[in-house]
Amino acid sequence: MKVLILSVTAGYGHHATAKAVSDMLAQKGAEVETVDIYKYINRVVQQTIDKGYLLTSKRTPELYRVCYGLAENHGQGYFNTPKLNIINIVNALGSTKFAHVVNDFAPDAIVCTHVFAAQLMNEMKKRGKVTAPVVGIVTDYTIHPFWEDVPFVEHIVTASDLLTHLAVKRGISRDRILPIGIPIHPKFNQPITRADAAALLGIDPTRPTILMMGGSMGYSNSKKLIAQLSSVDLPFQLLAVCGNNQKQYKQLLSLKPKMPANCELHPYGFVDNVEVMMSAADCIVTKPGGLTVSEALAKNLPMILVDPIPGHEERNVEFLTNNGISSLVTKTFPIDEAIYQLFQNPVRLDTVRETMRAISHPNATEVLADFVLQLHRD
């Protein structure tokens, strides 16, 4: 079976999801090709989306929040003039240009890890240029804007069956919804004992451990958070992952020897062993990106959320806190209080972990791969 996976450059999660699905399908014998659609259609558009997402979400969050809310409440029609919609124009022009990519590979099924890719496939299916079944993946704990506007996409994967009511309200028919969870790398579904994980990292397996992550770009203000954490009257070790933020990483390296005795700091840059770190930790302090959240759920790791990007990550916060599986750091509920209350309340810790087990889908990647393979058999 041949499977074409389509993504869009806008944050790390979409590509990580694409790789997880690709690897699993390949492991099961499928021939897989992964494509960033706008690299083929228009590199200017691709770079604009990538840089625009980073700039607006980080530099002008209020603008991003307003635009996301308008799209969420009104759909893509809100951004139309009578005959003009930039997404529709790009997709209409791109459908002809992208048709040769699809035809050359001749896939038996197509998987989209971003709604823009799903919109392009919707346009191509509407024009009869694609006949293979299409599966779209919503990579957050909400229903992103525009998923209701792709009626030719046969199946839409959601993070949880708890989101089915929302999806139906947004206009997605129930029979198209696959509430199997966000696909993550299978390594997060492999058990690692705390002692083994600590040994791999070279840390104390008996000391309370906090994992801090700021996303692939190191968005969160780790230095400020660590300064607040150092005031907690509890001994702990802190694994601080800075991602690609080299400036932040160097700051934490210089901060390490200045930390008080109760806080042992271990800074890291970009890492590929997050599953080991999660296995060694008692909780994670993180931005609420959909992929990281799914990985933490799979590892049954309680979450303290910081610095959500407006829009989709704020919706993730709502889902997680309203379901009792995370805390949110705010100006009036700082990180030191969040950690202290979590560690001093073992009953709550047990309840959080039990709820996480009920909501998580650690085997989502394999379930999706099996579903896609079955499409060909049917």
Side-chain angles (χ1 to χ4, degrees), residues 19 24 27 48 62 90 92 101 134 145 173 188 190 214 223 238 251 257 261 293 296 308 313 362:
K19 178 167 175 44
M24 180 61 72
Q27 181 181 318
T48 299
E62 290 301 325
V90 171
V101 177
V134 177
S173 60
F188 289 92
Q190 301 300 315
K223 189 175 180 180
L238 179 62
Q251 286 178 339
V293 165
E313 288 193 357

Side-chain angles (χ1 to χ4, degrees), residues 174-205:
R174 190 178 295 269
D175 62 334
R176 296 169 61 212
I177 300 169
L178 296 176
I180 60 177
I182 299 172
I184 57 176
H185 196 286
K187 64 185 179 182
F188 289 92
N189 199 22
Q190 301 300 315
I192 308 174
T193 67
R194 181 190 181 99
D196 287 345
L200 288 169
L201 297 171
I203 62 174
D204 185 347

Side-chain angles (χ1 to χ4, degrees), residues 40 78 127 134 170 191 232 249 306:
Y40 279 85
Y78 190 85
R127 294 172 175 232
V134 177
R170 291 283 296 277
V232 178
Y249 177 59
V306 296

Side-chain angles (χ1 to χ4, degrees), residues 60-343:
T60 56
E62 290 301 325
L63 175 61
Y64 189 89
R65 180 180 291 112
V66 168
C67 290
Y68 187 95
L70 290 172
E72 187 176 51
N73 293 325
H74 301 282
Q76 68 181 34
Y78 190 85
F79 298 97
N80 285 342
T81 60
K83 294 185 178 180
L84 179 64
N85 177 287
I86 186 61
I87 296 173
N88 285 344
I89 289 174
V90 171
N91 286 336
L93 294 173
S95 64
T96 299
K97 189 173 182 180
F98 198 72
H100 79 275
V101 177
V102 178
N103 292 334
D104 289 348
F105 186 65
D108 299 297
I110 299 171
V111 177
C112 301
T113 66
H114 194 288
V115 70
F116 288 176
Q119 286 176 309
L120 176 61
M121 287 302 99
N122 187 75
E123 181 69 22
M124 293 179 70
K125 286 181 77 74
K126 184 170 67 175
R127 294 172 175 232
K129 295 180 179 180
V130 169
T131 58
V134 177
V135 179
I137 304 174
V138 185
T139 55
D140 283 293
Y141 287 76
T142 184
I143 306 298
H144 298 144
F146 310 146
W147 278 109
E148 66 273 20
D149 296 320
V150 290
F152 291 92
V153 173
E154 288 88 347
H155 309 284
I156 297 178
V157 174
T158 61
S160 169
D161 55 3
L162 298 178
L163 293 168
T164 298
H165 177 66
L166 171 61
V168 172
K169 277 205 312 181
R170 291 283 296 277
I172 302 171
S173 60
R174 190 178 295 269
D175 62 334
R176 296 169 61 212
I177 300 169
L178 296 176
I180 60 177
I182 299 172
I184 57 176
H185 196 286
K187 64 185 179 182
F188 289 92
N189 199 22
Q190 301 300 315
I192 308 174
T193 67
R194 181 190 181 99
D196 287 345
L200 288 169
L201 297 171
I203 62 174
D204 185 347
T206 64
R207 193 178 179 99
T209 304
I210 301 168
L211 172 60
M212 179 181 291
M213 298 183 65
S216 62
M217 296 304 295
Y219 270 176
S220 64
N221 189 341
S222 294
K223 189 175 180 180
K224 178 182 177 182
L225 293 173
I226 292 169
Q228 293 174 337
L229 276 174
S230 65
S231 68
V232 178
D233 189 22
L234 295 169
F236 64 93
Q237 53 196 355
L238 179 62
L239 314 179
V241 179
C242 302
N244 292 317
N245 191 328
Q246 286 298 309
K247 179 181 178 182
Q248 185 180 91
Y249 177 59
K250 291 176 182 177
Q251 286 178 339
L252 297 193
L253 281 176
S254 63
L255 182 63
K256 181 177 179 177
K258 304 173 186 175
M259 296 300 295
N262 70 302
C263 178
E264 187 176 312
L265 176 61
H266 299 274
Y268 300 85
F270 190 88
V271 299
D272 60 3
N273 63 337
V274 173
E275 78 285 359
V276 176
M277 293 181 166
M278 287 186 172
S279 296
D282 296 287
C283 74
I284 181 171
V285 177
T286 181
K287 283 173 47 58
L291 199 71
T292 300
V293 165
S294 298
E295 293 166 353
L297 281 168
K299 282 295 183 182
N300 202 227
L301 186 62
M303 289 173 273
I304 296 177
L305 307 177
V306 296
D307 301 327
I309 291 175
H312 57 289
E313 288 193 357
E314 289 177 335
R315 302 299 180 270
N316 290 344
V317 170
E318 291 173 349
F319 178 91
L320 297 167
T321 56
N322 288 337
N323 281 287
I325 52 180
S326 72
S327 299
L328 175 65
V329 169
T330 66
K331 290 181 180 179
T332 54
F333 187 60
I335 184 68
D336 54 312
E337 293 182 29
I339 288 291
Y340 185 84
Q341 291 185 20
L342 183 67
F343 280 12

Side-chain angles (χ1 to χ4, degrees), residues 30-49:
E31 181 182 348
V32 187
E33 182 171 333
T34 302
V35 173
D36 183 329
I37 60 170
Y38 290 132
K39 283 186 178 179
Y40 279 85
I41 295 174
N42 189 306
R43 286 190 176 272
V44 173
V45 172
Q46 182 248 338
Q47 292 172 5
T48 299
I49 290 173

